[in-house]
Amino acid sequence: MIGGMSSLPPPEPGDRPIGARIRELDALLGRARFVEVCVALLGGAERTAYVPELRYLTGHGWDDDDPVRDPAVWKDYWVRTWGARGLLHCWDDAATRPVVAGLADEHYRPAEMCLKVSAQHDVAGSGPGAALLTRHELPRVRANAVRTLGVVGDTEHADDVLALLDDPEEWVREHAARAYGRMATRLDLPPLDARHDR
């Protein structure tokens, strides 16, 4: 079925963590359909086609007068981000290619969420996209990119990680050092003190 599932019950009322709501949606839809919905949203699907599912994925009510329905208020990049966030909590390898593609999103929010998904689930093929994002203007994106490389990066990404040891932000440098440590263990690379006399 393409688009929303009209028979999907609304989420239980109450203030609950978004991860719990997402896992409820996964249980209601089944993993294959859940991933299909998230991938469609990550790919830029029209939000109004998935209102029942987005009530779970976002925590918003999505009533007729809810501003979240208005793309002028809640930009389309939020829809792509919500799709990726669903995959952060409930993963299947069927979403690998869309998540790798999402690393090149024009807006940083979906790209950053795809970095988080890649790091959480060791998404194959996400190394090159993460390496490019180590050069992003926002420190938070650089930090998530280098963290992701610690999990998925290969030997050719070591220099991208080492470059961030000189990042202007101390916490990004700390992420880079930890990421290189993980890579060195995984890939049998020289230890950090042998690469950088710091």
Side-chain angles (χ1 to χ4, degrees):
M1 176 179 178
I2 305 300
M5 178 180 172
S6 58
S7 62
L8 190 66
E12 292 292 325
D15 187 18
R16 288 171 296 132
I18 194 66
R21 290 176 178 262
I22 289 171
R23 288 187 289 274
E24 288 171 13
L25 178 63
D26 177 57
L28 285 166
L29 295 179
R31 184 60 55 89
R33 174 61 184 155
F34 174 86
V35 169
E36 181 184 330
V37 168
C38 290
V39 164
L41 294 169
L42 175 58
E46 172 55 49
R47 71 187 73 194
T48 55
Y50 292 92
V51 167
E53 294 89 349
L54 282 165
R55 288 189 173 111
Y56 287 86
L57 290 169
T58 66
H60 291 278
W62 290 84
D63 300 319
D64 289 343
D65 59 348
D66 192 328
V68 78
R69 286 180 174 262
D70 184 357
V73 178
W74 285 82
K75 305 293 187 185
D76 286 340
Y77 62 76
W78 283 110
V79 178
R80 302 194 300 275
T81 305
W82 294 326
R85 185 172 64 182
L87 298 167
L88 180 67
H89 292 277
C90 299
W91 175 253
D92 188 275
D93 287 345
T96 295
R97 289 181 66 181
V99 167
V100 170
L103 294 169
D105 197 282
E106 63 185 6
H107 195 275
Y108 80 90
R109 288 190 183 276
E112 182 183 30
M113 190 59 69
C114 287
L115 284 170
K116 293 178 181 181
V117 174
S118 296
Q120 178 74 21
H121 301 291
D122 194 359
V123 177
S126 54
L132 288 174
L133 288 169
T134 62
R135 302 168 182 83
H136 198 276
E137 63 182 348
L138 292 177
R140 57 184 280 179
V141 176
R142 297 196 302 274
N144 275 296
V146 78
R147 177 175 167 262
T148 300
L149 288 176
V151 178
V152 305
D154 211 335
T155 52
E156 67 263 29
H157 305 125
D159 286 343
D160 297 295
V161 175
L162 290 169
L164 288 187
L165 294 173
D166 296 317
D167 194 270
E169 299 289 341
E170 180 180 3
W171 58 281
V172 176
R173 297 195 298 270
E174 291 169 355
H175 276 286
R178 285 195 294 272
Y180 185 82
R182 292 189 73 171
M183 291 179 72
T185 299
R186 286 192 300 107
L187 303 171
D188 196 25
L189 298 174
L192 191 56
D193 55 5
R195 296 290 298 259
H196 253 52
D197 185 20
R198 307 185 74 81

